Amino acid sequence: MRAVASAPSLLDPARLARFHGLVLRVRGGAGEQAGQQRVPGRVDTTGLEVEAYRSYTPGDDLRHLDWNALGRLDALLVRRFTAERRVTFHLLLDASASMRVPEGEGKLRTAQELAMALAFIALAASDGVRTAILLSNGRTRLSRLHRHRQAAAAVAAELAAADEGGALGLGGALAAHATVQAGPAVAVVVSDLMSEVADVERGVRALRARRFAVVLAHVVAPSELDPGRALRHGMLRDAESDEVHAIRLSRAAIAEYRTVVKDHLAGLRDLAVRTGSVYARLVAGTSVADFVTGDLARLGLVRRR
């Protein structure tokens, strides 16, 4: 059976409860509308955190005078605050056939749950959420823009409908999204990234050129990291091309495979550094909540309000 999430399961209150009180903090991608995303380096006349000071000029709001500075320095200084802006998150979910294999390891379901968790956090902060289901043959199912927590059910239905399969050129799909959508915004790519690194980079650079901050959320199955867990020999069918190959996993073949995987993962991390993006990897079947509150928090992408 294919492990695919349904809309009700994506909205499971027990699962989503761990995300209450969290916000997404992605450097870059902030628009001009007032919101809850703090943008260090950008100042505003109001806010919660002091960003800088400047000399008082007639007409400035007296409520923002720093009276302590007046007492210490005998100077009138006005507090300037860290700007708080609304952010729009584009959740680009890979719905290709490769997301359904290996069977029984729940790679697509894990990807759907991760996308739903991030959408829930963003909507709770009144940030915008748009889903983009990346389909075969260069097609994308693009949603309208959602802005409030009440839209969580609609987002869950959109993510649960990611069930088509087929072949996907990921780099081309990301580049195509960039041609019809523009930032400033955040593009969260939830995919197994089963493409050549150069192809993924082409799509990431297209998004960056359109003022998207990019997060690569890499969902990988356990047996993709260690093929010896699943089989030793047999017939291997390509999920996207339908080609069949006879395989026998000798120790040498497994060692070579692990080297290829290690190089691919390193290449993706290097790609993120080169393009100013963020890369994080989640193993299918492990806790999405732990990944969000642990790994993403350590990367600075998730914080408490």
Side-chain angles (χ1 to χ4, degrees), residues 106-131:
K107 193 163 62 174
L108 177 59
R109 180 184 180 88
T110 298
Q112 291 168 314
E113 290 179 1
L114 174 59
M116 187 68 232
L118 299 179
F120 181 82
I121 294 170
L123 291 172
S126 297
D127 285 327
V129 170
R130 190 188 300 277
T131 63

Side-chain angles (χ1 to χ4, degrees), residues 5-50:
S6 65
S9 68
L10 291 176
L11 289 172
D12 179 14
R15 180 181 295 114
L16 296 178
R18 288 188 60 181
F19 307 125
H20 287 295
L22 300 180
V23 292
L24 301 177
R25 298 286 189 222
V26 181
R27 183 174 294 277
E32 294 302 323
Q33 290 183 306
Q36 299 184 37
Q37 177 87 278
R38 294 176 188 170
V39 188
R42 190 186 299 187
V43 296
D44 209 341
T45 56
T46 61
L48 297 176
E49 292 185 355
V50 176

Side-chain angles (χ1 to χ4, degrees), residues 144-272:
R144 65 182 181 86
L145 184 64
H146 305 290
R147 286 211 177 275
H148 304 289
R149 183 178 294 181
Q150 291 80 356
V155 172
E158 292 160 6
L159 295 174
D163 58 359
E164 180 173 302
L168 172 69
L170 183 60
L174 300 183
H177 186 78
T179 63
V180 297
Q181 297 290 316
V186 177
V188 183
V189 182
V190 186
S191 168
D192 60 5
L193 300 179
M194 286 293 184
S195 298
E196 295 293 333
V197 172
D199 179 60
V200 179
E201 182 165 354
R202 178 169 68 93
V204 170
R205 289 195 180 279
L207 290 168
R208 297 289 287 140
R210 293 280 279 176
R211 297 196 298 164
F212 279 93
V214 177
V215 177
L216 296 174
H218 187 189
V219 180
V220 60
S223 64
E224 289 173 330
L225 298 175
D226 183 6
R229 294 166 54 106
L231 76 163
R232 287 290 180 176
H233 59 84
M235 303 301 294
L236 189 66
R237 183 182 298 275
D238 189 303
E240 296 193 1
S241 69
D242 212 35
E243 294 180 358
V244 177
H245 306 275
I247 63 166
R248 185 175 185 83
L249 292 184
S250 63
R251 288 185 179 180
I254 291 177
E256 182 179 0
Y257 176 87
R258 286 174 175 161
T259 297
V260 171
V261 170
K262 181 180 178 181
D263 290 345
H264 184 66
L265 298 179
L268 292 171
R269 289 191 295 269
D270 292 344
L271 154 65

